[in-house]
Amino acid sequence: MKLKKQGAFFTAVFLLLNIWLASAPAAATSAAENAGAEGAADDMWAQQSYQEYLSGLSEQNYTGESIVISGIDYTAGTGAEVSAAGQDNAPVLQTEEDSFVEWSFSVGKPGMYAFRIGYYPTQGNGSEIQRTVLIDGEVTVSELESVRFKRIFRDAQPIERVDGGNDIRYEQEEIFRKIEANVTDADGFYGEALYFYLSKGSHTIALKGIQEPMAVETITVFSERSQLPGYQEYLAANPAKDAAGVLENGIAIYEAEEMLEKSDSVIYGTSDITSPENSPYDYAYQKLNVIDGSRWKEAGQWITYQVTVAESGYYHIGFRFRQKDARQSVRRLYIDSSVPFEEADQLVFDQDDGWQVSLAGGETPYRFYLEQGTHDITLEITASTIKDSLISAEQYLDALNEINWSLMTVLGTEPDTNRDYQLETYMPQLKGQLADCADGLSRIAEEWNTVAGQNDSGVAEIRQLSELIRGMSEKPSTIPLRYSFFRDSVSSFATLIENEKLQPLTLDYLFLAEPGAALPAADSGLLEKVKYGFLRFLSSFVHDYDSLNNGASGQAIKIWIGNGLSGGRDQALVLNRLISQEFVPVTGINADLQLVPAGTILTATLAGRGPDVALQLTGSDPVNYAMRNAVLPLSDFEDYPEVAARFVPSSLVGFTYLDRVYALPETMDFPVLFYRKDILNSLGIDVNSLKTWDDVINVLPDIQAGNMNFAIPAAYTSYYLFLFQNGGSLYDSDGTRSMLGEKQALDAFDTYMKFYQSYSLPYSYSLETRIRSGEIPLAVANYSTYNVVKLAAPEIDGLWGIAPVPGTRQEDGSIISSVPNTCAGCVIMSSADRPDACWEFIKWWTSADIQYKFGRELESSMGMGARYNTANIEAVSKLPWTAQERTVILDQAEQSVGIPEVPGGYMTQRNVDFAIKAVYTDNKDARSTLLSYINAIDDEIELKRKEFHLDQ
């Protein structure tokens, strides 16, 4: 009887999938109908792509009509107000990052219309402005879910070229002036703007805030495509006069790192020593001499340079560059904000392992007419030359993801290879869909092979996936056997597409050249490379690479930073710049920052060679040092209460010993709830309704019915979450014994372990992999994992988010949503000669302004993966989280609970982990298992208290 019911269930599932697959298009479903502003902005699962939208139109005509709407003439809105922030104090509409504003307009003729926003970036967190765009109340295509609006940055001061030392790069500053930008896709696939069909009559356009404020001055609705002149037409329109004898030796070089303006603060000069021809170059010191391709690679990023010519005439524009990572890297060239001719809209920089020197236009270089005087030359990353095949690749990826998700709901994550799932019977469309995908991928591989001129690894990967899918189509009975490889291959294909979108270009300099002038050398000869390589080797014996501070000596306080949560040379260099520019000049206290291996502080201190201040000490280290009188109690300083107010009180708990605080927190981490928006929407689950663990348990059948799951880390910190929510504690008030044997603690452990024993949650998993594939659409994880998911799964960007962790309902009906926090902190060593100077440094370092600047510099230097989880609450508010993410993080931080440290406390986490493994592996009773470990914890606490004479 049970088998019959299971068979009926799977039959029903197959039939439902059959119906669903038959009605679903190859790549994505149709747009949401009659969705409100909030619903349309969140319902990612229901959106069609722009390509699908265009294919569904019977005609695409342009009327030439243009309508300008004043930003202040909005018809509905929240989070917005009129202010005099425009040019000459003109009124504009200031919109906050949680705003929703709608404007009405009418068009006289039906046709294809686009939108241009005239806006002022206003003071925010310095990150990219993002808005959801709704047309007539709907998010018409998925590309409108997150439309990006750039800011303008420049170096606050020119690079300081230090003779006999490293160049100094100053911080970035933002320029607040009006920008006009078309509503277009983030990848730049569809040209200057996205066009939508509007019928004659009344319509609305709305902007819903996602991230950062902006002031809207105008919205222009237009129905025309700009036409650039061809190159020959451009030449005919200008005087036939070549520049001659104007430039010294016919060449004028402009260093790439010395920019006028740029679109992103992440774009700035870095040091490259791969060639002595790099300008400037020094074998011993770091010279900021290139714009690295890792910082300048995403569509829409631009850099502007300023050039001056003494006489009007035609000039060539050339570049010294290296482009070894992309098939082709494409830049759009503007002169004084205009693309001069059609061919300049796509300048191609070909792939090569070495340095290259080339003129725009290649072997038949273009001539650019420049009037006498100063001009701006802008290089903007535009769509790749393989954009059409990339669009197709994304469509096939969407189709494969849908096939993967539907197969997973039937086969599970680990199919039974001996079972006949009868896929041909219950999913007749699957065979044809797989065959179509295989054919499409094969065509894409051929196109990419043609561009690259060789069968590179990317092409080989696509061909391999195509053959795999073709085999699954021809023999559906082998799908269970091949499913795991198919799932992993689809994930790899997604990563490949994201990498293909990137167009890195490392630029040493650009130059103006008179026609016929000799070009600079692309690279040095072998002998010169050997010479400078040998000099670099010799210089390594006389330079102290541990000390990052030039000239610090005498009374300098010694600061150590290790390879902890935010350690590493890149991070240390950022901190060193802040010290030299903002600490030493202001306080007059010299500081020597040194990068050291982690775990060497105590031994070095005992040897008399330790630091005065140590940063990024994790876990129980500060209290362990305090037990041995190796660090000073910071709470003894007179102004400590004022400094401590920067942090949530719970972040100081782990640094407290015998009622004195020995460290200030630098970073703080705690759990949040990660979720896949699209999958939960498809299951009818509102993440905001998951207030308690009972709510989670209630939706588990819906999730697990599709062979998906919910996840919580199998670790002592997860148990602490339930412990604190249940009103329990780890130790008694004196820290003399464990309280895990009390009823609240045992109940909490039983509740936690039931998720594994009764609800079959996974014990070990890779969250970024599982949330990417959809196998785990709901999971608890530390919020620092956000960076990992963001980097590992860019193709689902916008399809996932974070929410508060569910809580435990109390007898009075209230809900406690406490979570444990873990912190890294900074200490002053007892051996410090100048403790007051060290305290001044620690106060400066943990201040909101410096923590914010450090976090922004890290992200500018290293990208999104370096998002800094500062413990300073004010600094968290300034970092570039979206409004929704910031609210979750701040609310969860306030509800976080510190993990107290006591002598021998390491035995608590060790034995809790033992108990978790024993219950999971042997299916033991949770309460009795945890009880069996309590004596070991108490014994170790007693032993350590005797060692440190705490009971005397």
Side-chain angles (χ1 to χ4, degrees):
M1 185 65 182
K2 185 177 180 180
L3 290 175
K4 289 183 179 179
K5 286 183 178 180
Q6 288 181 341
F9 169 77
F10 280 109
T11 299
V13 171
F14 279 123
L15 288 174
L16 287 172
L17 285 170
N18 184 17
I19 294 170
W20 176 71
L21 286 170
S23 61
T29 55
S30 61
E33 297 180 358
N34 302 319
E38 294 290 336
D42 293 334
D43 190 9
M44 300 291 293
W45 188 257
Q47 304 309 320
Q48 61 181 335
S49 70
Y50 186 64
Q51 181 76 4
E52 291 168 321
Y53 170 80
L54 291 180
S55 65
L57 297 176
S58 57
E59 58 177 337
Q60 299 179 28
N61 62 300
Y62 300 88
T63 68
E65 190 173 356
S66 181
I67 305 155
V68 179
I69 309 166
S70 173
I72 63 176
D73 294 334
Y74 65 102
T75 53
T78 59
E81 63 178 3
V82 176
S83 68
Q87 188 172 2
D88 298 326
N89 293 321
V92 294
L93 187 67
Q94 176 66 40
T95 66
E96 301 305 320
E97 62 180 357
D98 58 352
S99 62
F100 178 85
V101 187
E102 187 174 71
W103 294 265
S104 298
F105 63 95
S106 295
V107 298
K109 299 178 182 179
M112 301 295 291
Y113 289 83
F115 302 91
R116 181 181 302 117
I117 312 297
Y119 68 97
Y120 291 84
T122 54
Q123 190 68 51
N125 295 330
S127 56
E128 204 168 44
I129 301 167
Q130 294 184 44
R131 293 293 185 270
T132 297
V133 177
L134 299 92
I135 302 171
D136 294 333
E138 294 186 350
V139 183
T140 312
V141 297
S142 58
E143 285 81 357
L144 294 182
E145 283 291 345
S146 180
V147 176
R148 300 174 184 177
F149 298 93
K150 290 291 185 183
R151 295 178 175 273
I152 303 175
F153 295 90
R154 67 185 174 195
D155 293 340
Q157 299 179 47
I159 294 171
E160 185 176 336
R161 306 289 187 183
V162 181
D163 292 335
N166 298 328
D167 283 352
I168 298 175
R169 176 182 64 83
Y170 291 93
E171 65 180 6
Q172 315 289 294
E173 66 179 8
E174 187 173 356
I175 303 171
F176 299 100
R177 69 160 183 262
K178 184 179 178 181
I179 304 173
E180 294 213 5
N182 293 337
V183 173
T184 189
D185 63 301
D187 295 317
F189 287 161
Y190 300 102
E192 62 178 8
L194 300 179
Y195 287 82
F196 300 91
Y197 181 82
L198 298 180
S199 61
K200 178 181 178 180
S202 298
H203 297 274
T204 63
I205 178 174
L207 299 179
K208 180 181 182 296
I210 300 176
Q211 182 169 295
E212 293 290 297
M214 67 187 291
V216 180
E217 183 178 75
T218 57
I219 298 177
T220 304
V221 186
F222 60 96
S223 181
E224 58 183 353
R225 284 188 178 275
S226 60
Q227 295 292 327
L228 293 172
Y231 178 56
Q232 295 303 321
E233 185 180 351
Y234 167 79
L235 293 178
N238 290 290
K241 179 186 176 184
D242 283 342
V246 180
L247 307 176
E248 185 177 353
N249 298 322
I251 296 286
I253 290 176
Y254 299 88
E255 296 293 343
E257 65 277 8
E258 297 176 355
M259 300 158 283
L260 178 67
E261 294 175 348
K262 54 203 171 182
S263 61
D264 291 89
S265 59
V266 72
I267 304 172
Y268 57 79
T270 58
S271 178
D272 187 298
I273 59 171
T274 59
S275 171
E277 288 297 322
N278 291 355
S279 173
Y281 180 85
D282 192 295
Y283 64 84
Y285 296 99
Q286 288 190 342
K287 294 300 176 183
L288 305 180
N289 52 12
V290 300
I291 296 298
D292 192 89
S294 64
R295 305 182 187 280
W296 190 33
K297 61 184 178 181
E298 296 180 3
Q301 288 183 317
W302 53 264
I303 303 175
T304 296
Y305 298 94
Q306 196 168 74
V307 303
T308 302
V309 293
E311 293 183 14
S312 302
Y314 282 110
Y315 297 83
H316 295 309
I317 298 177
F319 314 92
R320 182 175 185 268
F321 65 95
R322 186 177 61 206
Q323 201 287 94
K324 60 185 181 64
D325 298 314
R327 298 172 200 284
Q328 291 180 331
S329 196
V330 183
R331 297 296 184 270
R332 177 182 289 130
L333 187 145
Y334 298 84
I335 296 179
D336 298 328
S337 302
S338 298
V339 181
F341 47 84
E342 186 177 2
E343 289 80 354
D345 196 58
Q346 277 204 327
L347 299 181
V348 176
F349 295 81
D350 291 321
Q351 186 178 34
D352 192 280
D353 287 338
W355 287 93
Q356 305 178 60
V357 168
S358 176
L359 299 177
E363 295 182 359
T364 308
Y366 303 132
R367 296 186 298 162
F368 297 88
Y369 190 80
L370 301 178
E371 295 281 358
Q372 179 185 5
T374 299
H375 300 273
D376 292 345
I377 295 179
T378 300
L379 296 171
E380 179 185 25
I381 303 177
T382 185
S384 167
T385 53
I386 59 171
K387 67 176 183 179
D388 291 337
S389 64
L390 280 172
I391 292 172
S392 297
E394 286 198 324
Q395 290 179 314
Y396 287 117
L397 175 62
D398 289 342
L400 290 172
N401 276 330
E402 288 189 3
I403 291 171
N404 175 42
W405 189 79
S406 59
L407 284 174
M408 182 186 65
T409 60
V410 176
L411 303 177
T413 57
E414 297 181 4
D416 182 352
T417 56
N418 296 316
R419 177 179 173 181
D420 183 5
Y421 288 89
Q422 302 183 48
L423 294 179
E424 288 182 272
T425 302
Y426 295 106
M427 302 174 68
Q429 288 82 9
L430 180 61
K431 184 174 181 178
Q433 289 175 331
L434 289 170
D436 289 343
C437 289
D439 292 340
L441 292 179
S442 181
R443 289 192 297 270
I444 291 170
E446 292 305 318
E447 292 173 12
W448 290 12
N449 184 64
T450 300
V451 172
Q454 59 181 342
N455 185 20
D456 62 16
S457 60
V459 172
E461 185 176 329
I462 296 176
R463 284 177 173 159
Q464 183 182 38
L465 177 58
S466 175
E467 291 306 311
L468 170 65
I469 296 170
R470 195 177 306 282
M472 293 168 62
S473 171
E474 293 172 352
K475 294 182 179 180
S477 61
T478 65
I479 289 178
L481 183 64
R482 303 184 187 202
Y483 175 69
S484 178
F485 187 42
F486 165 75
R487 178 187 60 203
D488 294 342
S489 297
V490 171
S491 292
S492 298
F493 181 46
T495 301
L496 177 62
I497 292 174
E498 293 301 319
N499 290 338
E500 287 293 336
K501 291 179 184 178
L502 302 178
Q503 300 184 70
L505 178 70
T506 296
L507 188 62
D508 180 20
Y509 55 77
L510 71 160
F511 59 90
L512 298 181
E514 297 173 2
L519 301 184
D523 206 350
S524 305
L526 178 61
L527 290 178
E528 189 173 10
K529 287 184 177 181
V530 171
K531 168 189 169 183
Y532 280 105
F534 182 67
L535 290 174
R536 283 201 307 272
F537 172 72
L538 292 179
S539 70
S540 68
F541 290 97
V542 296
H543 280 78
D544 182 3
Y545 290 102
D546 288 334
S547 179
L548 302 172
N549 218 28
N550 291 318
S553 60
Q555 290 297 308
I557 58 174
K558 187 187 300 183
I559 303 162
W560 278 13
I561 182 171
N563 296 314
L565 295 179
S566 295
R569 178 161 290 272
D570 290 335
Q571 293 88 336
L573 288 172
V574 171
L575 175 55
N576 185 64
R577 187 188 64 77
L578 289 172
I579 291 172
S580 61
Q581 293 177 11
E582 303 204 27
F583 176 71
V584 175
V586 173
T587 65
I589 300 171
N590 212 351
D592 181 14
L593 181 67
Q594 298 182 2
L595 180 66
V596 299
T600 61
I601 294 174
L602 190 59
T603 54
T605 300
L606 292 174
R609 302 183 61 185
D612 299 312
V613 175
L615 307 181
Q616 290 296 322
L617 295 187
T618 60
S620 60
D621 283 350
V623 169
N624 282 333
Y625 293 161
M627 294 174 191
R628 294 160 176 82
N629 299 315
V631 293
L632 295 178
L634 304 184
S635 53
D636 286 358
F637 286 96
E638 184 177 353
D639 54 350
Y640 167 79
E642 177 186 342
V643 176
R646 301 169 177 176
F647 319 102
V648 294
S650 62
S651 65
L652 298 166
V653 170
F655 300 142
T656 303
Y657 176 62
L658 299 181
D659 299 325
R660 301 166 91 182
V661 178
Y662 287 85
L664 290 185
E666 299 172 69
T667 61
M668 180 170 66
D669 209 359
F670 45 79
V672 294
L673 187 67
F674 286 76
Y675 67 100
R676 278 287 295 266
K677 300 177 183 179
D678 50 354
I679 296 177
L680 293 191
N681 284 348
S682 71
L683 297 174
I685 299 172
D686 180 6
V687 72
N688 296 314
S689 69
L690 304 179
K691 303 293 186 184
T692 69
W693 296 107
D694 288 337
D695 296 331
V696 173
I697 291 171
N698 288 337
V699 300
L700 267 178
D702 296 325
I703 295 174
Q704 293 177 336
N707 287 314
M708 297 173 287
N709 218 330
F710 170 61
I712 311 175
Y716 68 93
T717 50
S718 296
Y719 164 56
Y720 292 173
L721 184 155
F722 289 90
L723 174 69
F724 297 149
Q725 289 187 3
N726 208 39
S729 57
L730 287 169
Y731 309 104
D732 63 6
S733 58
D734 297 326
T736 59
R737 68 182 183 89
S738 172
M739 296 292 286
L740 296 186
E742 301 298 314
K743 183 178 184 304
Q744 298 100 319
L746 296 174
D747 288 347
F749 191 68
D750 185 63
T751 300
Y752 170 52
M753 293 311 303
K754 269 190 170 64
F755 278 99
Y756 301 101
Q757 292 182 304
S758 302
Y759 301 109
S760 303
L761 264 60
Y763 185 79
S764 61
Y765 52 88
S766 167
L767 177 62
E768 61 271 22
T769 300
R770 298 291 184 90
I771 202 168
R772 180 183 195 178
S773 67
E775 296 171 46
I776 295 180
L778 198 64
V780 172
N782 281 351
Y783 94 90
S784 59
T785 311
Y786 180 98
N787 300 357
V788 180
V789 178
K790 195 81 172 177
L791 289 177
E795 77 280 3
I796 61 169
D797 195 24
L799 297 181
W800 63 277
I802 59 174
V805 169
T808 300
R809 192 175 298 279
Q810 308 301 300
E811 291 182 0
D812 62 359
S814 63
I815 299 173
I816 295 180
S817 300
S818 302
V819 294
N821 65 44
T822 53
C823 299
C826 48
V827 299
I828 300 175
M829 308 306 294
S830 298
S831 58
D833 293 329
R834 303 170 62 200
D836 289 337
C838 296
W839 176 238
E840 289 301 318
F841 172 80
I842 285 182
K843 289 193 297 182
W844 170 85
W845 166 232
T846 59
S847 66
D849 183 53
I850 297 303
Q851 285 287 293
Y852 163 69
K853 288 181 178 179
F854 180 72
R856 288 296 296 142
E857 285 292 307
L858 280 187
E859 201 160 340
S860 295
S861 302
M862 304 168 66
M864 174 63 216
R867 178 70 57 84
Y868 182 53
N869 55 324
T870 177
N872 186 299
I873 293 302
E874 184 182 345
V876 172
S877 301
K878 294 180 177 181
L879 289 172
W881 300 101
T882 66
Q884 185 270 338
E885 292 164 349
R886 187 179 302 113
T887 298
V888 171
I889 293 168
L890 291 177
D891 288 350
Q892 202 73 80
E894 289 295 335
Q895 298 184 72
S896 67
V897 177
I899 301 173
E901 292 291 341
V902 300
Y906 53 84
M907 287 296 288
T908 301
Q909 64 187 57
R910 184 182 304 173
N911 281 277
V912 168
D913 276 341
F914 288 160
I916 292 171
K917 293 175 182 176
V919 173
Y920 178 82
T921 304
D922 302 327
N923 199 28
K924 291 183 177 181
D925 176 71
R927 287 183 173 87
S928 60
T929 301
L930 182 60
L931 272 173
S932 68
Y933 287 96
I934 303 301
N935 288 339
I937 298 173
D938 284 341
D939 289 346
E940 189 67 18
I941 292 175
E942 183 180 0
L943 181 66
K944 286 297 179 181
R945 290 184 67 82
K946 288 180 180 178
E947 179 182 341
F948 294 110
H949 309 291
L950 295 178
D951 292 324
Q952 296 178 1

